Amino acid sequence: MPAPASRAAAAPPREEQRVLAEFLAQHGLKRSAQREAILDAFLKAGSHVSVEDLLRIVKRREPGVGRTTIYRTLKLFQEAGLASELLFGGEARFEPLWNRDHHDHFVCVLCGEIIEFRSPEIERLQDEIAGGLGFTIEGHRHTIFGRCRKCLLKAPRAARPR
Ligand SMILES: [Zn+2]
Ligand SMILES: [Zn+2]
């Protein structure tokens, strides 16, 4: 999947740094070069990174960093509203949340490919249904599992759905 043009790469993501600094201060936690490096790598990595993906990237700058630190820091970003954890059944993945527009996911059960989609129509419909039930939506996740185009083409012809 081609990486979406990243605004984060052009300019330092100041706002996220500020949000993190405020969150750390509120919780009596220290700012550290390591946390900053993890945040920077996370924002530049784009969407849907696993702990392993991020570990590989951060290790180039912070060789002493370990898997547990990456995971805990991502959970911290999640608490601070900077990251969203995606639970697709396998390995946990994270994506930046701050100032990103809402989207949902298709997940290929064969190769793990993740495809984002946005549908104002689905969003409107669920608001309507919730309204009818007197339900206030605070958030939602749509994850649709199936087979991506590539995996479908690799499958023997007979196995392909029509
Ligand atoms: Zn696939
Ligand atoms: Zn996504």
Side-chain angles (χ1 to χ4, degrees):
M1 187 170 63
S6 166
R7 276 162 295 156
R14 293 265 166 244
E15 210 185 332
E16 283 93 339
Q17 281 169 349
R18 182 184 55 72
V19 171
L20 179 63
E22 269 171 26
F23 180 85
L24 294 173
Q26 275 166 14
H27 292 78
L29 297 164
K30 277 188 211 147
R31 291 182 75 164
S32 70
Q34 204 172 56
R35 280 197 184 119
E36 296 287 330
I38 296 171
L39 179 64
D40 190 53
F42 174 60
L43 295 173
K44 283 180 182 160
S47 287
H48 321 135
V49 281
S50 67
V51 175
E52 294 302 329
D53 293 338
L54 205 57
L55 180 63
R56 261 195 307 276
I57 300 168
V58 177
K59 259 188 184 293
R60 287 181 220 143
R61 266 169 67 180
E62 300 274 329
V65 76
R67 204 181 181 285
T68 312
T69 304
I70 298 281
Y71 182 72
R72 285 202 191 126
T73 308
L74 283 167
K75 294 300 269 186
L76 196 86
F77 293 170
Q78 191 182 10
E79 273 180 69
L82 293 169
S84 162
E85 184 173 6
L86 305 166
L87 300 163
F88 293 152
E91 199 180 11
R93 289 177 178 274
F94 291 82
E95 67 182 0
L97 182 63
W98 190 262
N99 267 346
R100 308 285 162 133
D101 48 337
H102 170 77
H103 61 265
D104 292 295
H105 301 101
F106 285 102
V107 178
C108 176
V109 296
L110 295 178
C111 72
E113 165 93 352
I114 299 162
I115 302 164
E116 298 186 347
F117 73 95
R118 293 163 177 79
S119 167
E121 209 175 336
I122 292 176
E123 304 294 325
R124 189 188 51 73
L125 261 177
Q126 66 199 11
D127 285 347
E128 214 175 281
I129 296 166
L133 296 167
F135 189 88
T136 305
I137 298 177
E138 291 187 351
H140 75 270
R141 296 269 176 79
H142 285 311
T143 306
I144 300 169
F145 296 95
R147 290 163 195 220
C148 73
R149 199 182 324 209
K150 260 183 283 168
C151 288
L152 211 57
L153 290 174
K154 268 187 272 172
R157 198 162 264 286
R160 288 186 211 166
R162 277 183 294 160

